[in-house]
Amino acid sequence: MSEKKLYNKYSDYLKEKYGEKVYKLPINLPLTCPNRINGHGCSFCADVGTGFEAMKSTVSVTEQLEKTKEYISGRYHAKKFIAYFQNYTNTYMPLEVFKKYVLEAVKVSNIVEISISTRPDCVREDYLQFLKTVEETYHISIHLELGLQTVNYHTLDFISRGHGIAEYIDAVKRIQRYGFSICTHLILNLPQDTLRDTIETAKVVSALETDIVKLHSLYIPKNTPLCEAYEHGTIKLCSKEEYIERLAIFLAYLSPNIIVERLFSRVPEKDAVFSNWNTSWWKLQDEALAYMKKNRYYQGKFYNYLNGAALNSLS
């Protein structure tokens, strides 16, 4: 069984959609998120948000895109790109400011898609209406990335996520009405989560028909509340072997129609006190795929729980 058949790879999806390989260009903006206004924010969130690989936020959107595009084009002969508004919560800024940044990005040549990273509780109609106008005016795809992490609301409280499951459901329904694609970010080894939570998370995102999932193995950035808990031994993380099992079973319960963008996180070692069990992400990926092949797991193997599944026994 090939890797392609084990799960739906994001790179294959983009190549099929755009006719060639497409690369994401990260954009770093001077912004924050509502969860950091009255406190630190999510317990795993570093001061730079998720913008480890991005340029400084003082650099204009145009310059960030052009410089990164030049580098990627020279190295990989790339011709098509996604402008990825990556760090913190990109819809948590005044609408007029948001419009300015997005319109700056769409005017850069060879951008085929705008990807907006945000939170479920920061998806509002006026922002979506503006993005629909952008899509129709510039004939460019709009893609929103929602940080959910888990459907276990007790764990969401534990990591100070600042929202529950209802906000995620509401955001998905709102975005789908505009026809934009949705990527849901998930962490499969959060403290307090179990294999049961992993399975339920796969089932919920499948039932809501999210288009893409981006899977993260939890890393713990320095100078975060989660770092303090880890160093004091008040939290326990699952082993590498258990994570690989959770990953395989998550994919087995996941709808076969959903695209999978990533299986493991990638973060510079200097920025974290824990990351990927001191193993490179590509080695972990090889181990995970080998585990799936050995145990005959593949995406959608257990996708049999929707559409009145209990009635099947009466047929």
Side-chain angles (χ1 to χ4, degrees):
M1 183 181 290
S2 68
E3 177 184 334
K4 184 175 181 179
K5 291 181 180 179
L6 292 178
Y7 70 102
N8 289 329
K9 292 182 65 177
Y10 181 62
S11 57
D12 294 337
Y13 158 77
L14 288 178
K15 190 172 183 179
E16 182 178 346
K17 181 177 180 180
Y18 294 107
E20 59 188 275
K21 195 162 185 179
V22 182
Y23 291 82
K24 273 188 169 182
L25 306 178
I27 299 169
N28 191 19
L29 298 179
L31 47 81
T32 183
C33 89
N35 208 24
R36 297 178 68 90
I37 299 302
N38 297 315
H40 182 278
C42 302
S43 63
F44 57 77
C45 188
D47 289 339
V48 294
T50 56
F52 290 105
E53 298 174 343
M55 298 173 66
K56 291 183 178 180
S57 62
T58 53
V59 180
S60 72
V61 168
T62 301
E63 186 176 352
Q64 288 186 57
L65 290 174
E66 292 289 3
K67 286 189 173 180
T68 311
K69 185 175 69 169
E70 181 181 5
Y71 171 76
I72 297 295
S73 298
R75 185 169 183 179
Y76 301 107
H77 307 289
K79 298 177 182 178
K80 294 181 179 179
F81 304 90
I82 296 172
Y84 180 28
F85 289 84
Q86 179 183 21
N87 67 316
Y88 289 132
T89 305
N90 284 274
T91 55
Y92 189 65
M93 63 176 96
L95 180 57
E96 293 306 313
V97 178
F98 178 71
K99 288 181 178 180
K100 171 182 174 294
Y101 286 133
V102 172
L103 291 175
E104 195 174 346
V106 298
K107 294 174 183 177
V108 173
S109 63
N110 301 321
I111 297 295
V112 297
E113 188 170 304
I114 299 292
S115 182
I116 308 290
S117 180
T118 189
R119 290 167 52 90
D121 55 356
C122 288
V123 175
R124 205 171 67 187
E125 290 295 319
D126 47 354
Y127 289 77
L128 295 174
Q129 289 168 0
F130 162 70
L131 290 173
K132 192 63 178 180
T133 300
V134 169
E135 180 186 62
E136 293 173 345
T137 302
Y138 295 92
H139 307 290
I140 192 167
S141 295
I142 301 296
H143 174 75
L144 282 97
E145 306 206 10
L146 297 176
L148 172 61
Q149 319 314 344
T150 177
V151 298
N152 183 335
Y153 57 89
H154 298 293
T155 301
L156 292 177
D157 288 346
F158 177 76
I159 61 174
S160 302
R161 184 65 189 160
H163 67 74
I165 309 306
E167 291 86 344
Y168 170 73
I169 295 171
D170 175 64
V172 168
K173 291 172 64 178
R174 288 180 184 279
I175 294 167
Q176 287 174 336
R177 286 198 288 268
Y178 287 85
F180 304 143
S181 60
I182 302 170
C183 174
T184 300
H185 289 227
L186 301 167
I187 301 175
L188 300 185
N189 60 323
L190 285 168
Q192 297 193 351
D193 266 10
T194 65
L195 177 59
R196 180 69 181 88
D197 297 307
T198 299
I199 293 171
E200 191 64 17
T201 298
K203 293 169 76 171
V204 168
V205 297
S206 295
L208 287 172
E209 299 182 328
T210 191
D211 301 282
I212 302 169
V213 293
K214 183 186 286 187
L215 305 180
H216 301 264
S217 46
L218 178 67
Y219 63 85
I220 303 179
K222 296 177 180 178
N223 303 315
T224 60
L226 202 61
C227 172
E228 183 177 348
Y230 177 74
E231 291 180 330
H232 284 82
T234 56
I235 59 169
K236 183 179 179 181
L237 303 182
C238 73
S239 67
K240 177 184 70 172
E241 291 74 20
E242 184 177 350
Y243 180 88
I244 289 175
E245 178 188 21
R246 290 188 188 188
L247 171 61
I249 293 176
F250 173 89
L251 292 173
Y253 277 91
L254 189 68
S255 165
N257 298 319
I258 293 176
I259 307 303
V260 180
E261 182 168 349
R262 186 165 63 187
L263 302 180
F264 294 90
S265 298
R266 306 175 194 180
V267 61
E269 290 184 7
K270 64 180 179 63
D271 295 310
V273 294
F274 173 85
S275 175
N276 287 342
W277 303 273
N278 297 317
T279 306
S280 64
W281 70 266
W282 56 268
K283 286 184 178 180
L284 288 171
Q285 183 160 293
D286 286 345
E287 288 186 41
L289 297 179
Y291 178 89
M292 291 179 70
K293 291 177 183 178
K294 178 181 178 181
N295 293 278
R296 299 184 179 181
Y297 284 120
Y298 55 87
Q299 184 176 341
K301 180 177 183 178
F302 301 139
Y303 181 64
N304 57 1
Y305 45 83
L306 300 178
N307 193 29
L311 294 174
N312 292 336
S313 61
L314 301 178
S315 302

